[in-house]
Amino acid sequence: MKRWFLCLLLLVFASGAFGGNALPGDSVYQFNAPLVDQDGHAWHWADRRGHVQIVSMFYTSCTMVCPLIVDTMKITAQAAAEKNDARLGLLLVSFDLARDTAGVLHGYALRRGLSPAQWTLARADVDDTRKIAAMLGLQYRQLPDGDFNHSSELVLLDAEGRIVARTNVIGRVDAEFVHAVRKALAEK
Amino acid sequence: MRFAVFLGAMLGGVAAMAADYVPLPGGTFNSVLPADGQNAPARIAPFAMRAEPVTNAEYLAFVRTHTAWSKDQVPALFADGAYLSHWAGALSLGDAVLADQPVTEVSWFAARAYCEGEDARLPTWYEWEVAAAADAHRTDARADPAWRQSVLDWYGRPSSAPLAPVGGAANVYGLRDLNGLVWEWVDDFNALLVSADSREQNGADKARFCGAAALTLQQKENYATLMRVAMLSALKASDTTRNLGFRCVRSL
Amino acid sequence: MSRLIPLVLLAAGLLPVNLIAADGKAAAAPAVAANGAAVPGDLGPPQGEPIHALLGVPPHVPPPIHRNYPAKVIVELEVIEKEMPISEGVTYTYWTFGGTVPGSFIRVRQGDTVEFHLKNAPDNKMPHNIDLHGVTGPGGGAASSFTAPGHESQFTFKALNAGLYVYHCATAPVGMHVANGMYGLILIEPPEGLSTVDHEYYVMQGDFYTTGKYREKGHQPFDMDAAIAERPTYVLFNGREGALTGDHALSAKVGETVRLFVGNGGPNLVSSFHVIGEIFDKVYYEGGTHAQENVQTTLIPAGGAMMAEFRVDVPGTYVLVDHSIFRAFNKGALGMLKVEGPTNKAIYSGKEVDSVYLGDRAGDNLHAVAVAAKANASGTLSKEEQVKAGQQLFEGTCSVCHQGSGEGMAGVFPPLAKSDYLAKLAKEKLISIPLHGLTGAITVNGKDYNSVMPPMAQLTDDEVANILTYVLNSWGNPGGQVSKEEVGKVRAQPAAAGGEAH
């Protein structure tokens, strides 16, 4: 379903609906990192152009805040749009490259009931992971025991990949952020 | 004139290729940022570090061959509006900028790209810190008040005067200018997780930073080094400042 | 943050409700109702065009606010790191809010929505932020304003509590940022404003820590160990010795009213703030809402402030001090308020307080000293320049006891004028007196003296040389010249015992 949508999106790109326009200078799609999603499919960071997305970073074995990040993305999406509204993408990038294989990400998505229509759980290589975090203004740091310290923020990307809002309110809906999501969807 | 510029570029190119890398043994190191946020030492693999920070001439040579990194072409995502703003032109330094001054007004993305071009990478904080802990005779001079004062003296000097050229006194490894010339980017600048309000102590705001909470400034007597951490943690990856340059390392 | 305490107390049933109501008297009911807001001090949404705040350069403050509605106020404050004199011939690298110590004075009205822009100048080396004690919210804005050099942060807050509040930098190491001068005051006026006065002045105390000793010449770096040990080299008003003395003194006329906004940046010391010769009619202690009347000395905690109001009735010079008095006379905590006008003998009989109290810390008018120091450095110092500089220094340091006329005080302080004692003294011995002091019985011009003159160790070699040259060439003394090399030689020798025996 999701792949089908992506293909459609690519067609739309190819037909010139977006492709003809130059990217804004501050678009995170200026950098086109290769990623792999929970189904093992390779895709590129900038493939998401044309999509409003809520993005954050996490790792699946995190028991403290990461489940809350996922929940917060979920309730934020529900507050801002129809359930599983495919116009709003939810993207989680893992920084645990040792443990979060595509298979592990897949299992996590199943367990948490994260519909592939809306959710992408992805990983990149070491270098690009640090770069993605830098672009999104997120911080993380690996601890000797393999766990991570990391900032907990949701970042809103508009269709052109500009960061239009961010929130560090976790565990409940940030009304201002929801408002920003609605606005981004309306402008698309 | 043209010829001079061309010659300069050639020389710059030569300098970049000839950049001197010095091997360091790595090992365990008591960082001001304990690895686990408590007291675990850092473990550092052997690496080689550029003896000097990257200069204007070297960076100019890079920009000439990677014009996407010239100030008129770089996207705002990768560098803020002040990127290379002290240079006279997109591909020229001008009279006010010396070839052998360390390059500043460069973003983390730009510094990273340069190092890749030199078959290297930015140092991690631990790599930078262990290298800078040395003085002329010892690999770890941090307990010496004289070492600390020399670091602090630089903080205490306003930066109204032009930057000195690279090539200060060498430390025991043969590395120069780690302290006392410019701030330097590290690859994991966004892993330092120092809370923006340094008075927040451990666990004050667990939801903001997962896991062991924000690193707070543990060994307060190491404030000279911690001030560098504070500086790095104030930065975004696209930020540039007048006193912020970089050097590269290679894994061994 | 300060809001939290009443709320907690109220919840615990510890605070009478009427006290809260008194606090809220200013919070005009209509605005609150219109907004439906239950937050005390919130006077509703901002009205009218946004206002760019005027900032006060110490010792001045922006004019009072005559506005009867809450507005959006835009404050732009730039952090500047710069070298400035901390004392005559001594420089220090300050980190400042707005280029001055203390930082620019911010003045808003209760209920205003403040849009704060913190800029960190491109030439700066350090990241900085700001914690405003007048902000209700975690960290007082510190986390929202962490700013790298060449960048700007913006955050918005509503000024809920009227009062006088300290702001400061809270970047690690916090103590060092504060010790380098990163503090100032923000006044949140109550909606009805403050009472009208003739003068308003802005003074802030701070302690400074240098590796060199008090008044040791040249550029002096920050000394972290001294700061941790809480042993300041300087305790100063407005960041510099002499910032409020001499030509920079505060001024008023007889019969006028004065309001002082006084803060204490710390980082370490608590101030026992006092104005010699004046009684504060009112002190809004701790910068709060209530006033105490008829106050002599008021405590200002580090990171705290107070407002004092008084009427000046007698002309003369009033000296602002930290009444922990060694700080005033040995570390620089001195300022002056000069009051001009007709004397009123019914209130005070006369006689100036100046020279006695100011002692050797009078001034910023040491221009001649600076000229001499420069000439000395370049090896072109003439006897005339020495005499001129020596006179300035004498009036600062020596005239307290020996009097400006050199006549001394009968039976206590021996005269220097037409002194037979000086005339017969060997040069070496003459030099040793200011350096090592003089204790014991001596006879000058036929009169016996037996007292103690302490060593003036804070004076440099060229300062001693200039003072002695001035003395030798004044009041009928025989003349002569002392060089700084000669002083240096004597300083290197051990102190000799005083008295006639030598």
Side-chain angles (χ1 to χ4, degrees):
Chain A
M1 171 69 184
K2 190 181 80 167
R3 240 170 301 140
W4 177 83
F5 179 83
L6 274 177
C7 291
L8 183 71
L9 206 66
L10 281 175
L11 278 174
V12 173
F13 271 131
S15 67
F18 301 96
N21 303 334
L23 268 178
D26 55 351
S27 167
V28 298
Y29 301 139
Q30 290 283 353
F31 167 62
N32 200 6
L35 295 105
V36 174
D37 72 12
Q38 70 266 42
D39 294 329
H41 291 290
W43 58 288
H44 277 82
W45 180 243
D47 294 346
R48 292 303 175 88
R49 191 177 183 191
H51 234 48
V52 175
Q53 286 191 103
I54 300 174
V55 188
S56 192
M57 294 181 78
F58 84 130
Y59 65 112
T60 61
S61 47
C62 160
T63 53
M64 279 186 64
V65 177
C66 304
L68 263 181
I69 295 177
V70 175
D71 290 340
T72 310
M73 278 175 81
K74 204 184 261 181
I75 56 176
T76 303
Q78 281 166 8
E82 295 293 307
K83 199 177 178 197
N84 292 341
D85 184 340
R87 293 179 308 150
L88 177 61
L90 305 174
L91 171 62
L92 283 166
V93 181
S94 170
F95 29 65
D96 190 351
L97 303 180
R99 293 181 288 193
D100 286 346
T101 60
V104 168
L105 293 173
H106 185 80
Y108 186 85
L110 274 185
R111 231 174 26 254
R112 299 295 319 272
L114 309 177
S115 154
Q118 200 166 19
W119 289 84
T120 307
L121 281 61
R123 50 176 281 141
D125 75 12
V126 181
D127 229 37
D128 290 343
T129 305
R130 175 80 49 214
K131 218 157 165 181
I132 289 168
M135 285 191 304
L136 297 175
L138 299 175
Q139 300 179 300
Y140 70 94
R141 160 193 184 82
Q142 186 155 26
L143 301 173
D145 62 6
D147 277 338
F148 290 82
N149 270 2
H150 61 95
S151 51
S152 312
E153 272 190 286
L154 305 189
V155 177
L156 177 64
L157 300 181
D158 72 4
E160 290 293 307
R162 286 172 296 217
I163 296 173
V164 287
R166 56 194 312 133
T167 180
N168 54 20
V169 174
I170 295 295
R172 62 192 162 82
V173 169
D174 177 348
E176 260 180 63
F177 189 76
V178 167
H179 179 74
V181 176
R182 288 208 190 104
K183 199 167 152 241
L185 285 172
E187 279 169 5
K188 196 174 88 102
Chain B
M1 181 62 197
R2 272 272 164 78
F3 177 73
V5 169
F6 176 72
L7 189 67
M10 289 288 291
L11 289 172
V14 170
M17 271 187 280
D20 194 11
Y21 278 75
V22 176
L24 277 84
T28 58
F29 177 71
N30 282 319
S31 168
V32 296
L33 303 179
D36 59 352
Q38 308 295 320
N39 45 34
R43 292 178 194 289
I44 304 164
F47 65 102
M49 179 177 258
R50 234 176 181 276
E52 292 170 349
V54 174
T55 63
N56 280 314
E58 289 167 334
Y59 197 78
L60 178 63
F62 165 75
V63 171
R64 284 174 185 280
T65 50
H66 302 74
T67 48
W69 288 102
S70 65
K71 62 178 169 182
D72 55 352
Q73 286 186 39
V74 71
L77 177 72
F78 296 139
D80 66 20
Y83 175 67
L84 299 178
S85 55
H86 56 316
W87 286 13
L91 298 175
S92 61
L93 301 182
D95 297 333
V97 175
L98 303 180
D100 57 355
Q101 281 171 326
V103 65
T104 59
E105 302 282 17
V106 282
S107 66
W108 177 82
F109 291 111
R112 241 179 170 228
Y114 177 93
C115 289
E116 272 172 39
E118 207 167 276
D119 236 354
R121 58 181 173 81
L122 283 176
T124 64
W125 165 255
Y126 288 149
E127 286 166 342
W128 194 93
E129 190 187 3
V130 77
D135 68 2
H137 310 292
R138 293 161 290 188
T139 55
D140 190 347
R142 293 176 299 168
D144 185 349
W147 177 89
R148 201 191 322 158
Q149 195 58 46
S150 72
V151 175
L152 285 175
D153 282 352
W154 179 66
Y155 299 162
R157 278 197 301 274
S159 52
S160 38
L163 285 173
V166 301
N171 72 10
V172 69
Y173 299 115
L175 300 166
R176 300 170 193 279
D177 306 319
L178 281 158
N179 289 306
L181 185 59
V182 285
W183 304 110
E184 293 181 21
W185 279 110
V186 295
D187 194 52
D188 51 352
F189 80 100
N190 61 347
L192 304 180
L193 290 172
V194 171
S195 169
D197 183 345
S198 65
R199 300 157 303 172
E200 284 177 11
Q201 291 302 311
N202 270 344
D205 198 355
K206 291 234 187 218
R208 259 190 41 204
F209 297 113
C210 181
L215 279 175
T216 47
L217 302 180
Q218 296 269 336
Q219 295 159 276
K220 299 216 167 18
E221 66 273 22
N222 285 333
Y223 61 96
T225 305
L226 289 167
M227 287 172 77
R228 188 172 277 269
V229 174
M231 172 62 193
L232 288 167
S233 64
L235 297 167
K236 296 193 295 291
S238 60
D239 281 353
T240 71
T241 90
R242 241 169 244 183
N243 290 291
L244 175 60
F246 69 100
R247 73 179 74 208
C248 318
V249 296
R250 291 180 186 134
S251 299
L252 289 180
Chain C
M1 263 207 298
S2 50
R3 179 105 257 128
L4 207 60
I5 294 156
L7 284 179
V8 169
L9 290 178
L10 189 64
L14 292 174
L15 200 64
V17 174
N18 60 357
L19 211 61
I20 293 284
D23 170 52
K25 74 179 186 310
V32 173
N35 193 30
V39 182
D42 186 346
L43 309 183
Q47 300 168 30
E49 288 297 304
I51 295 163
H52 285 266
L54 289 172
L55 300 177
V57 178
H60 303 290
V61 299
I65 295 166
H66 300 293
R67 181 156 40 81
N68 57 10
Y69 59 91
K72 177 173 176 176
V73 179
I74 298 165
V75 175
E76 304 204 28
L77 193 54
E78 185 176 31
V79 176
I80 300 166
E81 299 167 3
K82 66 195 244 199
E83 197 176 299
M84 294 190 284
I86 190 166
S87 183
E88 191 66 48
V90 191
T91 58
Y92 186 76
T93 302
Y94 292 87
W95 299 346
T96 72
F97 286 107
T100 55
V101 177
S104 308
F105 193 97
I106 304 166
R107 188 168 199 160
V108 299
R109 181 179 181 270
Q110 186 185 356
D112 281 349
T113 297
V114 181
E115 182 182 300
F116 207 100
H117 297 255
L118 187 74
K119 298 174 180 180
N120 193 351
D123 272 337
N124 290 353
K125 275 188 179 147
M126 295 292 160
H128 298 286
N129 64 5
I130 191 166
D131 168 358
L132 295 127
H133 289 181
V135 170
T136 311
S144 328
S145 61
F146 195 35
T147 311
H151 294 81
E152 177 181 335
S153 296
Q154 184 190 329
F155 63 98
T156 302
F157 65 93
K158 197 164 252 192
L160 295 176
N161 301 66
L164 183 63
Y165 300 95
V166 166
Y167 66 78
H168 63 91
C169 181
T171 299
V174 181
M176 181 175 176
H177 283 254
V178 171
N180 282 346
M182 297 199 75
Y183 44 76
L185 291 179
I186 174 169
L187 172 67
I188 301 176
E189 283 194 16
E192 69 275 17
L194 301 177
S195 63
T196 307
V197 293
D198 296 301
H199 300 279
E200 292 184 325
Y201 290 114
Y202 172 24
V203 176
M204 217 159 163
Q205 180 172 325
D207 24 309
F208 291 84
Y209 303 81
T210 61
T211 52
K213 282 186 296 201
Y214 175 63
R215 287 191 167 179
E216 190 172 317
K217 300 288 184 279
H219 184 76
Q220 293 298 333
F222 169 70
D223 184 339
M224 187 70 159
D225 293 332
I228 292 171
E230 304 193 14
R231 283 207 310 268
T233 325
Y234 294 87
V235 180
L236 301 172
F237 294 129
N238 289 8
R240 169 188 180 174
E241 186 161 37
L244 298 175
T245 62
D247 295 343
H248 307 295
L250 309 177
S251 64
K253 292 193 176 68
V254 167
E256 288 183 329
T257 47
V258 176
R259 175 180 292 125
L260 296 180
F261 298 102
V262 187
N264 183 5
N268 289 321
L269 302 187
V270 168
S271 173
S272 301
F273 188 79
H274 178 80
V275 176
I276 296 170
E278 191 52 72
I279 296 162
F280 301 128
D281 297 338
K282 273 185 180 177
V283 169
Y284 291 85
Y285 48 94
E286 293 155 19
T289 315
H290 300 286
Q292 176 63 286
E293 296 182 3
N294 300 323
V295 176
Q296 53 187 314
T297 301
T298 187
L299 276 179
I300 312 176
M306 70 94 188
M307 269 185 294
E309 295 168 5
F310 52 94
R311 198 185 120 103
V312 286
D313 298 310
V314 178
T317 301
Y318 296 84
V319 183
L320 286 57
V321 294
D322 180 341
H323 216 293
S324 295
I325 210 71
F326 272 107
R327 298 175 190 171
F329 297 115
N330 298 77
K331 296 188 173 180
L334 271 181
M336 298 191 324
L337 169 66
K338 286 190 172 162
V339 176
E340 290 178 352
T343 52
N344 186 343
K345 300 265 160 136
I347 298 176
Y348 187 70
S349 63
K351 181 162 170 83
E352 284 274 314
V353 70
D354 262 38
S355 73
V356 175
Y357 247 121
L358 282 180
D360 56 340
R361 311 298 162 223
D364 195 39
N365 292 333
L366 296 175
H367 181 66
V369 178
V371 170
K374 213 174 239 171
N376 197 3
S378 58
T380 60
L381 186 65
S382 72
K383 185 165 153 187
E384 286 65 39
E385 280 171 331
Q386 268 195 293
V387 168
K388 217 172 196 179
Q391 179 177 8
Q392 292 282 353
L393 291 162
F394 183 90
E395 282 167 9
T397 305
C398 318
S399 69
V400 177
C401 300
H402 294 289
Q403 305 301 308
S405 58
E407 299 289 348
M409 206 171 271
V412 191
F413 305 126
L416 303 178
K418 290 200 190 87
S419 165
D420 61 350
Y421 181 81
L422 287 188
K424 64 187 182 205
L425 217 51
K427 203 180 214 179
E428 223 168 72
K429 176 61 190 167
L430 174 71
I431 293 169
S432 90
I433 295 175
L435 286 183
H436 304 306
L438 185 64
T439 302
I442 56 170
T443 306
V444 183
N445 296 350
K447 289 205 176 94
D448 290 335
Y449 295 85
N450 191 347
S451 52
V452 179
M453 171 174 162
M456 300 290 146
Q458 81 278 8
L459 296 171
T460 62
D461 290 352
D462 55 316
E463 286 172 342
V464 170
N466 294 346
I467 290 173
L468 291 175
T469 304
Y470 167 66
V471 169
L472 289 175
N473 291 282
S474 305
W475 317 304
N477 284 333
Q481 195 171 4
V482 177
S483 75
K484 82 168 181 183
E485 287 75 20
E486 289 169 322
V487 177
K489 225 176 276 169
V490 175
R491 194 190 289 274
Q493 297 163 2
E500 196 72 81
H502 290 265

